[in-house]
Amino acid sequence: MKRELIKGNEAVIKGAVLAGCTHYFGYPITPASEIAQAASYYLPLFGGTFIQAESEVAAINMVYGASSAGVRTMTASSGPGMSLKQEGISYLAGSELPAVIVDIMRAGPGLGNIWPEQSDYHQVVKGGGHGNYKTIVLAPNSAQEMCDLTILAFDLSDKYRCTAVVLTDGYTGQMMEPVEFPEELKKAPYKEWALYADQKHRKNLVTSIFMSPQTLFEVNTRLNQRYKTIENNEVLFEDLHASDAKLVIVAYGIMSRVAHNAIEELRASGLKVGLMRPKTLWPFPVKKLKELCTSAQAFLVAEMSNGQMLEDVKLAIEHSRPIEFFGTWGGTVPSVDELKSAIKTTYEKTTR
Amino acid sequence: MEEKEIVTKGKPEALYETFFRKDGKDKSTTHYCPGCGHGRVHKLIAESLNELGVADRAVFVSPVGCSVFAYYYMNMGNVQAAHGRAPAVGTGVARARPDSIVISYQGDGDLAAIGTAEILHAANRGENMTVIFINNAIYGMTGGQMAPTTMIGQKTLTSPRGRSSDNEGFPIRMCEIISTLEAPVYVERTSCTDVKNILKTKRAIKKAFKLQTERKGFSFIEILCACPTGWKKTPRDSIKWIQETLEPYFKPGVYKDASETAQPKPRIEPSTDPEQIFTALNLQKGKSPRATGRNIGEKRIKLAGFGGQGALTAGVAIATAGMHDGFDVSWLPSYGPEMRGGTANCSVIISDKRIGMPVVLNPNILVALNGPSLDSFEDDVTPGGLVIVNSSLIERKLKRADVKSVYVPLTEIATNLGLKAAANMVALGVVLGCEKLFDKERLHEVFKTSLKRKDTLEMNIKAVNAGFEFVQKH
């Protein structure tokens, strides 16, 4: 399609519709509300369903119901709402239901404020609900990726019968950028396990209760194997001058855009710095980070949190290189100059 | 109801003949205790579905509680919901499968305590589903704790001295509450104590299902049932307790019946026609040109003014024009409560290469539509940058000498053109007059597709031209 200047939040919905999403259930929250607003506008135009639910809890459970009935369905929220959705996400995992959730992170804890932060990382990437489960986490940093990764989220969630979360920050949701939407309309695939409310699927059961420990052991084992497959096959990342960098910056979402400027400017002044941007936060690009250890002398993790992804980077490279941290929070976004100066200091301290 | 109803002997087809999903060796009896109401109601549901010939289309939503295992028995589509969420899950199913017969089955703790929001709002939306509410005044599965419907003085594991209204309030009457809502079509409370009442219960359930097949919406059937184990009574004494204690407080009866007047809800199904969906999404087929070989560097623009001056709109317009000219662009607003009243500003970047950080902290072009905007952002402009000052509203000159300044009576020019609100567009004309980004006709094209009112289209084009010409003259 021709390029369209569009907010990231709205690009999510156009992408979702092109992915075959027909049912949206949500609740208003800044800075994610444009997603619900766009859904309420576009979905009814072609017979899709939009419901503004009575709560975040109800919204995620409506997603659970619609997903069990086999359609492509989604919801979106921000930190405080994501906290409420955790119950539903755990049940989705236990019942092996596909679902797409978009989290436009704002600053916390508590009511915090509406400005961007990246502090839902632990909750989303590690799983904020109960039980052994994982959700695929995709991390767009542009309006184009808000569309593309939403579409991918639907495909992956159906492929693996799990929740896929599109995790980004208030700025990536709020900013307008040119987006080229695909010219293909996808459809929800046929799901033999789903409740189509007909004779053929009458024996189907969607549940997460397994009273026998042995049965639940097997369910968890099956899920773990599936998670292993995802880890092996679905890692996505982007790197910028990373392969010959002495210092590799690891950043995602809006922070990777700040890093982009900082790295281009520092490269121009002769510093061998590069960017490794995870596009999937789970599965995390562990292998790529390990590979970079052959050339990188140190890493700098830059996040708008108190160091949440930092832990995954440490685990990935097993502390084989020094890892420094540059963090900010509370809704503050660093300037390119601030990040540049942190990179320079780290560069001087850790590289030869 | 017209049909003659009987409670059939043996199992209806919609109950599994053998309970193959049940744990353990016994696959022929239920897990319910002697005297429990669940098994009886399950059978009435199954019979009603079979009699209406809709069991294939049925989806049973089981709650958390003793009936969490209803799927052992119900021979139909089954989905198990989180505690209290069955009506939300049922909503999802009903909306996804418009021909389904959704049965949201809940106990009193599930429905009237943890799930209060879900039941009220599903009812209020008039979801095309039937809610079966088993009220036995106690939490059965967790071993006999107090429910929202537990009677005053009733002893449970969490009201060991008896429920006290001072501490726990009064038993909630759900039928009465639900029947105050506009949307529900049928609301009835029955009790499952004897043959007569069992038949009444079946009639209510079947009527609810029938209304669903007619797409008439939401029905709520509350059934007073015994929990001899939780109540620590014999099944016979339990029946007596329902009659003597529960029924006087939870009075059986029809609380609402709009079945004659209710209009069927439309049956909605999404289109799968790509053309219809592309049109709905307002997508334009084809490819957009990309600017090649034209070096404009990176223009970082900050547009600011008070709410209503259109700083954000102007930002979108110039970014769109830049995009159509093939450049990479970004637009970022100040968002949230900040936009309501006070000043509004946005960051726009137009670049010949990939854009990184979309926030403009140090603009090389600042458009200040009012005084506070100039005060806020003057210091941030990069040395050598351009500051466009709306001299109609800003009397002072710039404090800085290391930036280029252009003083333009933007509001006055716009007012003279007959559209005071177009000062923002005059400003864009000034920007294009000072900086060689792209032809001002690019902006005209943007207006043609984005503005709905033809009269303002002409005016906005004139406003851009006026700003552009002001720069040529001065």
Side-chain angles (χ1 to χ4, degrees), chain B residues 198-210:
Chain B
I198 290 170
L199 283 174
K200 239 186 205 173
T201 303
K202 180 172 171 191
R203 214 171 290 135
I205 291 172
K206 193 169 168 185
K207 176 163 180 168
F209 292 161
K210 178 120 194 307

Side-chain angles (χ1 to χ4, degrees), chain A residues 4-21 35 38-39 41-43 46 74 146-148 150-151 154 179 181-182 184-185, chain B residues 277-284:
Chain A
E4 177 179 347
L5 188 71
I6 188 169
K7 265 194 183 188
N9 279 347
E10 200 180 333
V12 161
I13 288 302
K14 289 198 179 187
V17 171
L18 293 173
C21 174
I35 301 178
Y41 179 79
Y42 290 113
L43 267 71
F46 64 93
M74 70 175 292
M146 290 291 266
C147 161
D148 297 348
T150 299
I151 296 173
F154 277 103
V179 174
F181 289 99
E184 179 202 3
L185 174 67
Chain B
I277 287 171
F278 295 156
T279 306
L281 297 179
N282 197 20
L283 300 177
Q284 310 293 321

